[in-house]
Amino acid sequence: MVTATFKSNNKAIQFLSVLERAGIHGELISLSRAGNEKGCSYGVRLESTHMTAAKKLAAAAGVRPEKWL
């Protein structure tokens, strides 16, 4: 599993919607601010096998994650 992190809940939801439209299942999660130096507090968890496709979809939709965990 990998997690795409976002500073806002809205961006995380947008990313999740992009994934779901492409048939990729993701799960919206809340992250601990203490473990994220950039202050990301929301994430979308998905299977690591979908990471390459998810990166391409995110770039095309303009909702790039802050980082991948």
Side-chain angles (χ1 to χ4, degrees):
M1 297 292 262
V2 295
T3 303
T5 66
F6 298 88
K7 288 184 180 178
S8 80
N9 189 36
N10 288 341
K11 286 289 185 185
I13 291 171
Q14 281 181 310
F15 180 66
L16 182 59
S17 294
V18 167
L19 293 180
E20 290 180 346
R21 283 194 301 270
I24 298 173
H25 174 73
E27 177 187 4
L28 184 66
I29 61 171
S30 180
L31 301 172
S32 167
R33 285 190 181 272
N36 297 293
E37 66 276 358
K38 288 191 176 183
C40 299
S41 58
Y42 301 96
V44 176
R45 184 176 293 151
L46 59 140
E47 292 292 330
S48 56
T49 55
H50 297 298
M51 187 172 170
T52 300
K55 284 182 176 183
K56 289 178 184 178
L57 291 165
V63 287
R64 292 188 178 128
E66 294 294 319
K67 63 182 176 177
W68 291 85
L69 303 175

Short mmCIF file of all heavy atoms in Angstrom, two decimals:
data_model
loop_
_atom_site.label_atom_id
_atom_site.label_comp_id
_atom_site.label_asym_id
_atom_site.label_seq_id
_atom_site.Cartn_x
_atom_site.Cartn_y
_atom_site.Cartn_z
N MET A 1 0.84 -1.18 0.00
CA MET A 1 0.00 0.00 0.00
C MET A 1 0.88 1.25 0.00
O MET A 1 1.94 1.26 0.61
CB MET A 1 -0.89 0.03 1.24
CG MET A 1 -1.88 -1.12 1.36
SD MET A 1 -3.15 -1.05 0.14
CE MET A 1 -4.46 -0.31 1.03
N VAL A 2 0.42 2.28 -0.68
CA VAL A 2 1.07 3.58 -0.69
C VAL A 2 0.03 4.63 -0.33
O VAL A 2 -1.18 4.39 -0.46
CB VAL A 2 1.71 3.92 -2.05
CG1 VAL A 2 2.84 2.97 -2.38
CG2 VAL A 2 0.70 3.94 -3.16
N THR A 3 0.50 5.77 0.14
CA THR A 3 -0.39 6.86 0.52
C THR A 3 0.06 8.14 -0.14
O THR A 3 1.22 8.53 -0.04
CB THR A 3 -0.41 7.04 2.05
OG1 THR A 3 -0.80 5.81 2.66
CG2 THR A 3 -1.39 8.14 2.46
N ALA A 4 -0.86 8.79 -0.82
CA ALA A 4 -0.63 10.11 -1.40
C ALA A 4 -1.10 11.12 -0.36
O ALA A 4 -2.23 11.01 0.13
CB ALA A 4 -1.42 10.27 -2.69
N THR A 5 -0.25 12.07 0.00
CA THR A 5 -0.60 13.02 1.05
C THR A 5 -0.97 14.39 0.48
O THR A 5 -0.44 14.82 -0.54
CB THR A 5 0.55 13.18 2.06
OG1 THR A 5 1.67 13.78 1.42
CG2 THR A 5 0.94 11.84 2.67
N PHE A 6 -1.87 15.06 1.20
CA PHE A 6 -2.38 16.37 0.79
C PHE A 6 -2.52 17.26 2.01
O PHE A 6 -2.78 16.78 3.11
CB PHE A 6 -3.76 16.22 0.13
CG PHE A 6 -3.74 15.40 -1.12
CD1 PHE A 6 -3.88 14.02 -1.07
CD2 PHE A 6 -3.56 16.00 -2.35
CE1 PHE A 6 -3.85 13.26 -2.22
CE2 PHE A 6 -3.52 15.24 -3.51
CZ PHE A 6 -3.67 13.87 -3.44
N LYS A 7 -2.39 18.56 1.80
CA LYS A 7 -2.56 19.52 2.90
C LYS A 7 -4.03 19.81 3.15
O LYS A 7 -4.40 20.24 4.24
CB LYS A 7 -1.82 20.82 2.60
CG LYS A 7 -0.34 20.68 2.70
CD LYS A 7 0.35 21.99 2.49
CE LYS A 7 1.85 21.81 2.61
NZ LYS A 7 2.57 23.04 2.38
N SER A 8 -4.88 19.61 2.14
CA SER A 8 -6.30 19.91 2.34
C SER A 8 -7.16 18.68 2.05
O SER A 8 -6.85 17.86 1.19
CB SER A 8 -6.75 21.07 1.45
OG SER A 8 -6.99 20.64 0.13
N ASN A 9 -8.23 18.61 2.79
CA ASN A 9 -9.19 17.53 2.62
C ASN A 9 -9.81 17.60 1.22
O ASN A 9 -10.04 16.57 0.58
CB ASN A 9 -10.27 17.63 3.69
CG ASN A 9 -11.20 16.44 3.71
OD1 ASN A 9 -10.77 15.32 3.48
ND2 ASN A 9 -12.45 16.68 4.00
N ASN A 10 -10.07 18.82 0.73
CA ASN A 10 -10.68 18.97 -0.60
C ASN A 10 -9.80 18.39 -1.70
O ASN A 10 -10.31 17.73 -2.61
CB ASN A 10 -10.96 20.45 -0.90
CG ASN A 10 -12.11 20.99 -0.10
OD1 ASN A 10 -12.93 20.24 0.42
ND2 ASN A 10 -12.17 22.30 0.03
N LYS A 11 -8.49 18.63 -1.64
CA LYS A 11 -7.58 18.08 -2.65
C LYS A 11 -7.54 16.56 -2.58
O LYS A 11 -7.50 15.87 -3.59
CB LYS A 11 -6.17 18.65 -2.50
CG LYS A 11 -6.05 20.06 -2.95
CD LYS A 11 -6.15 20.14 -4.46
CE LYS A 11 -5.90 21.57 -4.92
NZ LYS A 11 -6.10 21.74 -6.33
N ALA A 12 -7.55 16.01 -1.36
CA ALA A 12 -7.54 14.56 -1.20
C ALA A 12 -8.81 13.96 -1.79
O ALA A 12 -8.75 12.93 -2.49
CB ALA A 12 -7.41 14.20 0.28
N ILE A 13 -9.94 14.60 -1.57
CA ILE A 13 -11.21 14.11 -2.12
C ILE A 13 -11.21 14.22 -3.64
O ILE A 13 -11.67 13.31 -4.34
CB ILE A 13 -12.40 14.85 -1.49
CG1 ILE A 13 -12.54 14.45 -0.02
CG2 ILE A 13 -13.69 14.58 -2.26
CD1 ILE A 13 -13.53 15.27 0.77
N GLN A 14 -10.66 15.31 -4.18
CA GLN A 14 -10.56 15.45 -5.64
C GLN A 14 -9.72 14.32 -6.23
O GLN A 14 -10.09 13.73 -7.24
CB GLN A 14 -9.89 16.78 -6.02
CG GLN A 14 -10.79 17.97 -5.95
CD GLN A 14 -10.03 19.23 -6.36
OE1 GLN A 14 -8.93 19.50 -5.86
NE2 GLN A 14 -10.60 19.97 -7.27
N PHE A 15 -8.59 14.03 -5.60
CA PHE A 15 -7.71 12.97 -6.06
C PHE A 15 -8.42 11.62 -6.00
O PHE A 15 -8.36 10.83 -6.95
CB PHE A 15 -6.44 12.95 -5.22
CG PHE A 15 -5.45 11.88 -5.60
CD1 PHE A 15 -4.81 11.92 -6.82
CD2 PHE A 15 -5.16 10.85 -4.73
CE1 PHE A 15 -3.88 10.93 -7.17
CE2 PHE A 15 -4.24 9.87 -5.06
CZ PHE A 15 -3.60 9.91 -6.29
N LEU A 16 -9.11 11.36 -4.91
CA LEU A 16 -9.85 10.12 -4.77
C LEU A 16 -10.91 9.99 -5.86
O LEU A 16 -11.08 8.91 -6.44
CB LEU A 16 -10.49 10.05 -3.38
CG LEU A 16 -11.27 8.79 -3.04
CD1 LEU A 16 -10.38 7.56 -3.13
CD2 LEU A 16 -11.87 8.91 -1.65
N SER A 17 -11.58 11.07 -6.19
CA SER A 17 -12.59 11.05 -7.25
C SER A 17 -11.97 10.72 -8.60
O SER A 17 -12.53 9.96 -9.38
CB SER A 17 -13.32 12.39 -7.33
OG SER A 17 -14.07 12.61 -6.16
N VAL A 18 -10.80 11.31 -8.87
CA VAL A 18 -10.09 11.03 -10.12
C VAL A 18 -9.75 9.54 -10.20
O VAL A 18 -9.94 8.90 -11.24
CB VAL A 18 -8.81 11.90 -10.22
CG1 VAL A 18 -7.90 11.42 -11.33
CG2 VAL A 18 -9.18 13.36 -10.43
N LEU A 19 -9.25 8.99 -9.11
CA LEU A 19 -8.92 7.58 -9.08
C LEU A 19 -10.14 6.70 -9.33
O LEU A 19 -10.10 5.76 -10.14
CB LEU A 19 -8.30 7.19 -7.74
CG LEU A 19 -6.93 7.75 -7.38
CD1 LEU A 19 -6.51 7.25 -6.01
CD2 LEU A 19 -5.90 7.40 -8.43
N GLU A 20 -11.22 7.00 -8.63
CA GLU A 20 -12.42 6.17 -8.73
C GLU A 20 -13.03 6.22 -10.13
O GLU A 20 -13.53 5.21 -10.62
CB GLU A 20 -13.43 6.56 -7.66
CG GLU A 20 -12.93 6.14 -6.28
CD GLU A 20 -13.88 6.48 -5.14
OE1 GLU A 20 -14.81 7.28 -5.35
OE2 GLU A 20 -13.65 5.95 -4.05
N ARG A 21 -12.96 7.39 -10.79
CA ARG A 21 -13.46 7.47 -12.17
C ARG A 21 -12.65 6.58 -13.11
O ARG A 21 -13.15 6.12 -14.12
CB ARG A 21 -13.45 8.92 -12.66
CG ARG A 21 -14.60 9.75 -12.11
CD ARG A 21 -14.76 11.06 -12.86
NE ARG A 21 -13.58 11.91 -12.84
CZ ARG A 21 -13.31 12.82 -11.92
NH1 ARG A 21 -14.16 13.04 -10.94
NH2 ARG A 21 -12.22 13.54 -11.98
N ALA A 22 -11.39 6.35 -12.76
CA ALA A 22 -10.51 5.50 -13.56
C ALA A 22 -10.57 4.03 -13.12
O ALA A 22 -9.85 3.19 -13.65
CB ALA A 22 -9.08 6.00 -13.48
N GLY A 23 -11.42 3.74 -12.14
CA GLY A 23 -11.58 2.36 -11.67
C GLY A 23 -10.54 1.91 -10.66
O GLY A 23 -10.36 0.72 -10.43
N ILE A 24 -9.86 2.87 -10.03
CA ILE A 24 -8.85 2.55 -9.01
C ILE A 24 -9.46 2.83 -7.64
O ILE A 24 -9.89 3.95 -7.36
CB ILE A 24 -7.57 3.38 -9.21
CG1 ILE A 24 -6.94 3.06 -10.57
CG2 ILE A 24 -6.58 3.13 -8.07
CD1 ILE A 24 -5.76 3.94 -10.93
N HIS A 25 -9.47 1.81 -6.79
CA HIS A 25 -10.02 1.97 -5.44
C HIS A 25 -8.99 2.65 -4.54
O HIS A 25 -7.82 2.30 -4.53
CB HIS A 25 -10.39 0.62 -4.85
CG HIS A 25 -10.83 0.71 -3.43
ND1 HIS A 25 -12.06 1.24 -3.07
CD2 HIS A 25 -10.21 0.40 -2.27
CE1 HIS A 25 -12.17 1.22 -1.75
NE2 HIS A 25 -11.06 0.72 -1.25
N GLY A 26 -9.44 3.65 -3.81
CA GLY A 26 -8.61 4.33 -2.84
C GLY A 26 -9.40 4.56 -1.57
O GLY A 26 -10.62 4.44 -1.56
N GLU A 27 -8.69 4.87 -0.51
CA GLU A 27 -9.33 5.11 0.79
C GLU A 27 -8.83 6.44 1.36
O GLU A 27 -7.63 6.65 1.50
CB GLU A 27 -8.99 3.97 1.74
CG GLU A 27 -9.52 4.14 3.13
CD GLU A 27 -9.03 3.07 4.08
OE1 GLU A 27 -8.20 2.23 3.71
OE2 GLU A 27 -9.47 3.10 5.25
N LEU A 28 -9.74 7.33 1.68
CA LEU A 28 -9.42 8.61 2.29
C LEU A 28 -9.08 8.37 3.75
O LEU A 28 -9.83 7.72 4.47
CB LEU A 28 -10.60 9.58 2.17
CG LEU A 28 -10.39 10.99 2.68
CD1 LEU A 28 -9.35 11.72 1.83
CD2 LEU A 28 -11.70 11.75 2.66
N ILE A 29 -7.93 8.89 4.19
CA ILE A 29 -7.51 8.71 5.58
C ILE A 29 -7.02 10.04 6.15
O ILE A 29 -6.63 10.93 5.41
CB ILE A 29 -6.41 7.63 5.72
CG1 ILE A 29 -5.15 8.03 4.93
CG2 ILE A 29 -6.92 6.26 5.31
CD1 ILE A 29 -3.96 7.13 5.18
N SER A 30 -7.05 10.15 7.45
CA SER A 30 -6.51 11.31 8.16
C SER A 30 -5.13 10.92 8.65
O SER A 30 -4.93 9.83 9.17
CB SER A 30 -7.42 11.66 9.33
OG SER A 30 -6.92 12.77 10.01
N LEU A 31 -4.16 11.81 8.48
CA LEU A 31 -2.78 11.54 8.90
C LEU A 31 -2.42 12.39 10.09
O LEU A 31 -2.92 13.49 10.26
CB LEU A 31 -1.82 11.86 7.75
CG LEU A 31 -2.04 11.10 6.45
CD1 LEU A 31 -1.14 11.67 5.36
CD2 LEU A 31 -1.79 9.63 6.64
N SER A 32 -1.50 11.91 10.88
CA SER A 32 -0.99 12.64 12.03
C SER A 32 -0.06 13.74 11.55
O SER A 32 0.87 13.50 10.80
CB SER A 32 -0.22 11.70 12.95
OG SER A 32 0.51 12.42 13.89
N ARG A 33 -0.29 14.97 11.97
CA ARG A 33 0.59 16.08 11.61
C ARG A 33 1.99 15.90 12.19
O ARG A 33 2.96 16.37 11.63
CB ARG A 33 0.02 17.41 12.09
CG ARG A 33 -1.15 17.86 11.25
CD ARG A 33 -1.50 19.29 11.64
NE ARG A 33 -2.64 19.77 10.87
CZ ARG A 33 -2.53 20.35 9.68
NH1 ARG A 33 -1.36 20.51 9.13
NH2 ARG A 33 -3.61 20.77 9.05
N ALA A 34 2.10 15.22 13.31
CA ALA A 34 3.40 15.05 13.96
C ALA A 34 4.37 14.27 13.08
O ALA A 34 5.57 14.50 13.12
CB ALA A 34 3.21 14.33 15.30
N GLY A 35 3.87 13.37 12.26
CA GLY A 35 4.74 12.56 11.43
C GLY A 35 5.00 13.14 10.06
O GLY A 35 5.65 12.51 9.23
N ASN A 36 4.52 14.33 9.79
CA ASN A 36 4.66 14.92 8.47
C ASN A 36 5.24 16.31 8.58
O ASN A 36 4.56 17.24 8.98
CB ASN A 36 3.29 14.98 7.77
CG ASN A 36 2.73 13.61 7.54
OD1 ASN A 36 3.26 12.84 6.76
ND2 ASN A 36 1.66 13.29 8.25
N GLU A 37 6.51 16.46 8.21
CA GLU A 37 7.18 17.75 8.38
C GLU A 37 6.55 18.87 7.58
O GLU A 37 6.65 20.02 7.93
CB GLU A 37 8.67 17.63 8.07
CG GLU A 37 9.01 17.32 6.62
CD GLU A 37 8.95 15.85 6.26
OE1 GLU A 37 8.68 15.01 7.11
OE2 GLU A 37 9.18 15.55 5.07
N LYS A 38 5.89 18.56 6.47
CA LYS A 38 5.26 19.61 5.67
C LYS A 38 3.83 19.91 6.15
O LYS A 38 3.16 20.75 5.58
CB LYS A 38 5.24 19.21 4.20
CG LYS A 38 6.60 19.26 3.55
CD LYS A 38 6.48 19.11 2.07
CE LYS A 38 7.84 19.27 1.42
NZ LYS A 38 7.75 19.20 -0.03
N GLY A 39 3.36 19.20 7.14
CA GLY A 39 2.05 19.48 7.69
C GLY A 39 0.90 18.84 6.93
O GLY A 39 -0.24 19.22 7.13
N CYS A 40 1.19 17.87 6.07
CA CYS A 40 0.11 17.19 5.36
C CYS A 40 -0.76 16.47 6.38
O CYS A 40 -0.27 15.86 7.31
CB CYS A 40 0.67 16.16 4.38
SG CYS A 40 1.70 16.90 3.13
N SER A 41 -2.05 16.58 6.21
CA SER A 41 -2.91 15.96 7.21
C SER A 41 -3.97 15.04 6.63
O SER A 41 -4.75 14.48 7.37
CB SER A 41 -3.58 17.05 8.05
OG SER A 41 -4.32 17.92 7.24
N TYR A 42 -4.00 14.87 5.31
CA TYR A 42 -4.96 13.97 4.68
C TYR A 42 -4.23 13.10 3.67
O TYR A 42 -3.23 13.52 3.09
CB TYR A 42 -6.07 14.75 3.99
CG TYR A 42 -6.81 15.63 4.94
CD1 TYR A 42 -6.48 16.97 5.09
CD2 TYR A 42 -7.83 15.11 5.74
CE1 TYR A 42 -7.13 17.77 5.99
CE2 TYR A 42 -8.49 15.91 6.65
CZ TYR A 42 -8.14 17.24 6.78
OH TYR A 42 -8.78 18.03 7.68
N GLY A 43 -4.74 11.92 3.48
CA GLY A 43 -4.11 11.03 2.53
C GLY A 43 -5.12 10.17 1.81
O GLY A 43 -6.26 10.02 2.25
N VAL A 44 -4.67 9.63 0.71
CA VAL A 44 -5.46 8.64 -0.03
C VAL A 44 -4.57 7.41 -0.15
O VAL A 44 -3.47 7.48 -0.72
CB VAL A 44 -5.87 9.16 -1.43
CG1 VAL A 44 -6.59 8.06 -2.20
CG2 VAL A 44 -6.76 10.39 -1.30
N ARG A 45 -5.03 6.32 0.43
CA ARG A 45 -4.27 5.06 0.42
C ARG A 45 -4.77 4.20 -0.74
O ARG A 45 -5.98 4.08 -0.95
CB ARG A 45 -4.47 4.34 1.75
CG ARG A 45 -3.64 3.07 1.86
CD ARG A 45 -3.77 2.43 3.21
NE ARG A 45 -3.17 3.30 4.21
CZ ARG A 45 -3.55 3.35 5.47
NH1 ARG A 45 -4.53 2.62 5.90
NH2 ARG A 45 -2.94 4.16 6.31
N LEU A 46 -3.82 3.62 -1.47
CA LEU A 46 -4.17 2.75 -2.59
C LEU A 46 -3.11 1.67 -2.74
O LEU A 46 -2.03 1.76 -2.15
CB LEU A 46 -4.30 3.56 -3.89
CG LEU A 46 -3.07 4.33 -4.35
CD1 LEU A 46 -2.94 4.22 -5.86
CD2 LEU A 46 -3.22 5.79 -3.97
N GLU A 47 -3.43 0.65 -3.52
CA GLU A 47 -2.50 -0.44 -3.76
C GLU A 47 -1.29 0.10 -4.51
O GLU A 47 -1.43 0.91 -5.44
CB GLU A 47 -3.16 -1.54 -4.59
CG GLU A 47 -4.25 -2.30 -3.86
CD GLU A 47 -3.72 -3.14 -2.72
OE1 GLU A 47 -2.56 -3.61 -2.79
OE2 GLU A 47 -4.47 -3.33 -1.75
N SER A 48 -0.11 -0.34 -4.14
CA SER A 48 1.11 0.15 -4.77
C SER A 48 1.17 -0.19 -6.26
O SER A 48 1.84 0.52 -7.01
CB SER A 48 2.34 -0.39 -4.04
OG SER A 48 2.32 -1.80 -3.99
N THR A 49 0.47 -1.20 -6.69
CA THR A 49 0.45 -1.57 -8.11
C THR A 49 -0.22 -0.50 -8.96
O THR A 49 -0.03 -0.47 -10.17
CB THR A 49 -0.26 -2.91 -8.34
OG1 THR A 49 -1.57 -2.85 -7.78
CG2 THR A 49 0.51 -4.05 -7.70
N HIS A 50 -0.99 0.39 -8.34
CA HIS A 50 -1.68 1.46 -9.07
C HIS A 50 -0.95 2.80 -9.00
O HIS A 50 -1.44 3.80 -9.53
CB HIS A 50 -3.10 1.65 -8.51
CG HIS A 50 -3.98 0.46 -8.69
ND1 HIS A 50 -4.33 -0.03 -9.92
CD2 HIS A 50 -4.58 -0.34 -7.79
CE1 HIS A 50 -5.11 -1.08 -9.77
NE2 HIS A 50 -5.27 -1.29 -8.48
N MET A 51 0.21 2.84 -8.37
CA MET A 51 0.90 4.11 -8.14
C MET A 51 1.26 4.83 -9.45
O MET A 51 1.04 6.04 -9.56
CB MET A 51 2.15 3.89 -7.30
CG MET A 51 2.82 5.17 -6.88
SD MET A 51 4.13 4.78 -5.70
CE MET A 51 4.95 6.33 -5.60
N THR A 52 1.80 4.14 -10.42
CA THR A 52 2.19 4.78 -11.68
C THR A 52 0.98 5.39 -12.37
O THR A 52 1.02 6.55 -12.81
CB THR A 52 2.89 3.77 -12.61
OG1 THR A 52 4.06 3.27 -11.94
CG2 THR A 52 3.31 4.42 -13.92
N ALA A 53 -0.10 4.64 -12.46
CA ALA A 53 -1.32 5.14 -13.09
C ALA A 53 -1.88 6.32 -12.29
O ALA A 53 -2.32 7.32 -12.87
CB ALA A 53 -2.36 4.04 -13.20
N ALA A 54 -1.84 6.23 -10.97
CA ALA A 54 -2.36 7.29 -10.12
C ALA A 54 -1.57 8.58 -10.31
O ALA A 54 -2.16 9.67 -10.35
CB ALA A 54 -2.33 6.86 -8.66
N LYS A 55 -0.26 8.49 -10.45
CA LYS A 55 0.57 9.68 -10.68
C LYS A 55 0.21 10.35 -11.99
O LYS A 55 0.11 11.58 -12.08
CB LYS A 55 2.05 9.31 -10.66
CG LYS A 55 2.60 9.06 -9.28
CD LYS A 55 4.08 8.75 -9.34
CE LYS A 55 4.65 8.60 -7.94
NZ LYS A 55 6.10 8.37 -7.95
N LYS A 56 0.00 9.55 -13.04
CA LYS A 56 -0.37 10.09 -14.35
C LYS A 56 -1.74 10.76 -14.29
O LYS A 56 -1.95 11.85 -14.82
CB LYS A 56 -0.35 9.00 -15.41
CG LYS A 56 1.03 8.53 -15.76
CD LYS A 56 0.99 7.42 -16.78
CE LYS A 56 2.40 6.89 -17.06
NZ LYS A 56 2.39 5.77 -18.00
N LEU A 57 -2.70 10.11 -13.64
CA LEU A 57 -4.05 10.66 -13.50
C LEU A 57 -4.03 11.97 -12.71
O LEU A 57 -4.70 12.94 -13.07
CB LEU A 57 -4.97 9.65 -12.82
CG LEU A 57 -5.33 8.41 -13.64
CD1 LEU A 57 -5.93 7.34 -12.73
CD2 LEU A 57 -6.28 8.77 -14.76
N ALA A 58 -3.25 11.99 -11.64
CA ALA A 58 -3.15 13.19 -10.80
C ALA A 58 -2.57 14.36 -11.58
O ALA A 58 -3.08 15.48 -11.51
CB ALA A 58 -2.30 12.90 -9.57
N ALA A 59 -1.52 14.09 -12.34
CA ALA A 59 -0.90 15.14 -13.14
C ALA A 59 -1.87 15.69 -14.18
O ALA A 59 -1.99 16.90 -14.37
CB ALA A 59 0.37 14.62 -13.81
N ALA A 60 -2.59 14.80 -14.84
CA ALA A 60 -3.55 15.21 -15.87
C ALA A 60 -4.70 16.02 -15.28
O ALA A 60 -5.20 16.95 -15.90
CB ALA A 60 -4.09 13.98 -16.60
N ALA A 61 -5.09 15.70 -14.04
CA ALA A 61 -6.21 16.38 -13.40
C ALA A 61 -5.76 17.62 -12.61
O ALA A 61 -6.60 18.38 -12.13
CB ALA A 61 -6.94 15.42 -12.47
N GLY A 62 -4.45 17.79 -12.43
CA GLY A 62 -3.96 18.95 -11.68
C GLY A 62 -4.13 18.83 -10.19
O GLY A 62 -4.25 19.85 -9.49
N VAL A 63 -4.16 17.63 -9.65
CA VAL A 63 -4.29 17.43 -8.20
C VAL A 63 -3.14 16.55 -7.71
O VAL A 63 -3.35 15.47 -7.19
CB VAL A 63 -5.66 16.81 -7.80
CG1 VAL A 63 -6.76 17.82 -7.93
CG2 VAL A 63 -5.96 15.56 -8.59
N ARG A 64 -1.95 17.08 -7.83
CA ARG A 64 -0.77 16.31 -7.44
C ARG A 64 -0.62 16.26 -5.91
O ARG A 64 -0.77 17.29 -5.25
CB ARG A 64 0.47 16.94 -8.05
CG ARG A 64 0.51 16.78 -9.55
CD ARG A 64 1.85 17.23 -10.11
NE ARG A 64 1.84 17.02 -11.54
CZ ARG A 64 2.16 17.94 -12.42
NH1 ARG A 64 2.50 19.14 -12.02
NH2 ARG A 64 2.13 17.65 -13.70
N PRO A 65 -0.28 15.09 -5.39
CA PRO A 65 -0.04 14.97 -3.96
C PRO A 65 1.20 15.75 -3.53
O PRO A 65 2.10 16.00 -4.34
CB PRO A 65 0.19 13.47 -3.77
CG PRO A 65 -0.38 12.82 -4.98
CD PRO A 65 -0.23 13.80 -6.08
N GLU A 66 1.25 16.11 -2.25
CA GLU A 66 2.43 16.75 -1.69
C GLU A 66 3.61 15.77 -1.70
O GLU A 66 4.72 16.14 -2.03
CB GLU A 66 2.17 17.21 -0.25
CG GLU A 66 1.14 18.30 -0.13
CD GLU A 66 1.61 19.61 -0.76
OE1 GLU A 66 2.79 19.96 -0.60
OE2 GLU A 66 0.78 20.25 -1.43
N LYS A 67 3.33 14.53 -1.31
CA LYS A 67 4.35 13.48 -1.34
C LYS A 67 3.67 12.11 -1.27
O LYS A 67 2.47 12.02 -1.04
CB LYS A 67 5.36 13.64 -0.22
CG LYS A 67 4.82 13.53 1.18
CD LYS A 67 5.94 13.76 2.19
CE LYS A 67 5.41 13.75 3.61
NZ LYS A 67 6.48 13.90 4.57
N TRP A 68 4.46 11.10 -1.53
CA TRP A 68 4.00 9.71 -1.46
C TRP A 68 4.69 9.02 -0.31
O TRP A 68 5.90 9.14 -0.13
CB TRP A 68 4.33 8.98 -2.76
CG TRP A 68 3.52 9.46 -3.93
CD1 TRP A 68 3.82 10.52 -4.74
CD2 TRP A 68 2.31 8.92 -4.40
NE1 TRP A 68 2.85 10.67 -5.70
CE2 TRP A 68 1.90 9.69 -5.52
CE3 TRP A 68 1.50 7.86 -4.00
CZ2 TRP A 68 0.74 9.42 -6.22
CZ3 TRP A 68 0.34 7.60 -4.72
CH2 TRP A 68 -0.03 8.38 -5.81
N LEU A 69 3.93 8.30 0.48
CA LEU A 69 4.48 7.53 1.62
C LEU A 69 4.32 6.05 1.34
O LEU A 69 3.38 5.63 0.74
CB LEU A 69 3.76 7.88 2.92
CG LEU A 69 3.74 9.35 3.32
CD1 LEU A 69 2.88 9.52 4.56
CD2 LEU A 69 5.14 9.85 3.58
#
